[in-house]
Amino acid sequence: MSHSNVTAALASISSNTGIPVSLVDDTLVVAGRQVDLPTKLTGEQQELFGLDGLLPTVPRADDRDKLLWRVIAEARPRDEPTASLLSDRALETGIQAKLNLQPEAARTVAAAMKSRFFSSNKKLNVLLPVHAALPLNYAHYGATGKASRYRMFNGGILPFLLWNSRTNEADSVLLSRLLEITADNDALTELDRKFLEIALEQAPDPQAAPDGPALISRYRESLTRQMTSAGGAFCQPSLDLFRRDLETVLQTPLPQPDMIEWVTLLLSLHLTVRLYRIAVVKGSELDLAVAAAAASQLALPPDVTQCACAAGQQPEECLKKCSLAGMLKFRTGSGHFRSVSDRDGCRSSYVEVDQRRLLDMPATLVTATLACRAWAALGGGTAAEHRDLKALSEALTRDEELRQTHGAACSAIAVLHRNAWRKGHATPDELHEAAATNASRPGLHALREEVRRSRSRDLRHQSRDIVNQLMLDVNLAGPGALITRNGTRGFYEIDEQLLLLLVRLICRDRQLPYESFLEELLVYGLAPQDQREQGTLADTLERLGLLVRYSDAGEAAFVHYA
């Protein structure tokens, strides 16, 4: 790669800022300090996104029904031999022939088995983890006969969500309880037993059982390293809430297939809200850092807020004060077509949170990583290593020399990023545009704009595509949706299955006043879009037997899980 254009661009930065900036043996040097940048400035490396503490891996879109499948599949005890897994496609097509029934009866029974053990995906029916023996002996295969490549999360997603930064360990008790339920044979019907008998005839290890401690052991080292690097998990209160919610679901008396469906929906809900929370909180923190770098020469967006969590608060109280609280304005699904306009809260909040903030999340994370690498070289210490954007904002606000040097470093990184994106063939004009700064466009702003510009086509792959697979109704094999569309117009709409789960999670074994129920929705970022929708929600809850009105108490209404 030729460095002539890059060298000239860096020399221009030095001339314009008075801060010496150069490239020495492919290492950026700013004011005599070496900046330790990621090996690659493009692509989807976890190091570049700075995901430590945020998510366990860089996600890619895939069926949400595979979330729990992967967890169980990787919970095989380490000392058990690894054997070739069977194909779920072969199982699906071979059920009918193995039933030894008359043709019509065989078709009927095979259809019932497929309905219970396979999802009804729009492309391929996916084998569900209704029983742990299936993920431990089968792999998902595509239409071409090749094993499907899992692209959303690995089995470490559940230990990650069960992580407790105070003990620096995942909740092994709760994880083991879940895995025990997936391996339970007592709740199986005769139809279930017949299906498993057929499925496990030639299975490599039909007696295999998932092991919670083994799964945690598999990921303990990487998760500990990630959490230590980040100074703890991002939004520990949200992880505490997940632990509480998972325990609530596991205590709910449900048939095994329904339990698997609820756990999958719970994972989807919490992962979706976590992605939104990262997008909103980290996006706001970066906005504040950019404003600090501009020394008040740049106006902040009107909706930028700081995280209000404080030590000693209960998780629910923290989450109610989060900047995401109430941002997801929804309407309640009716089962019938209803028009939606851009003025409706369910649509306008979707545009703000999903189409703007979430889409921008990958660029935000890459920019934050690179900016904190520059700050670390300039003496940012532990805060820089933890990518603490709030601390960066405070440092930039009070230290003019740091603002100038850090701005020059960010401008230089923008040059290197542009050249890397163009695979070493960026023109002088491109590099000059990437590095250009002024009073209202400090180096940090220039870096963010460069990352946004370069990654404009792939931003959705690690953000909106994931949420769409988790919570967009047309992508889901089963019920439980938060997002729907009228044509190409997306908006937030809660269906009955998700509403039932939320009532169970919020009320547990209590009866809550309706107003308290609405307040508790805030911890998931949710709120009815307006006063009228509050009434519609109450009517829906009453129709489902989840709300009771007391005539002798005026307008008093209470929500409970029936």
Side-chain angles (χ1 to χ4, degrees), residues 28-65:
L28 179 64
V29 179
V30 179
R33 309 281 188 90
Q34 291 187 355
V35 181
D36 180 22
L37 295 175
T39 305
K40 288 187 64 178
L41 295 180
T42 60
E44 300 176 4
Q45 294 75 27
Q46 185 163 347
E47 179 188 31
L48 181 61
F49 282 106
L51 288 184
D52 291 352
L54 301 176
L55 293 169
T57 58
V58 180
R60 295 282 291 192
D62 197 10
D63 294 329
R64 82 174 185 185
D65 293 300

Side-chain angles (χ1 to χ4, degrees), residues 547-561:
L547 179 141
V548 59
R549 303 178 195 267
Y550 292 98
S551 58
D552 59 346
E555 296 299 319
F558 292 84
V559 183
H560 65 103
Y561 176 74

Side-chain angles (χ1 to χ4, degrees), residues 381-409:
T382 302
E385 294 173 2
H386 292 167
R387 294 176 297 283
D388 188 338
L389 292 176
K390 291 194 289 186
L392 175 59
S393 296
E394 294 169 0
L396 292 174
T397 298
R398 64 175 180 263
D399 191 334
E400 181 179 357
E401 182 180 352
L402 176 63
R403 284 200 302 273
Q404 295 174 350
T405 310
H406 186 263

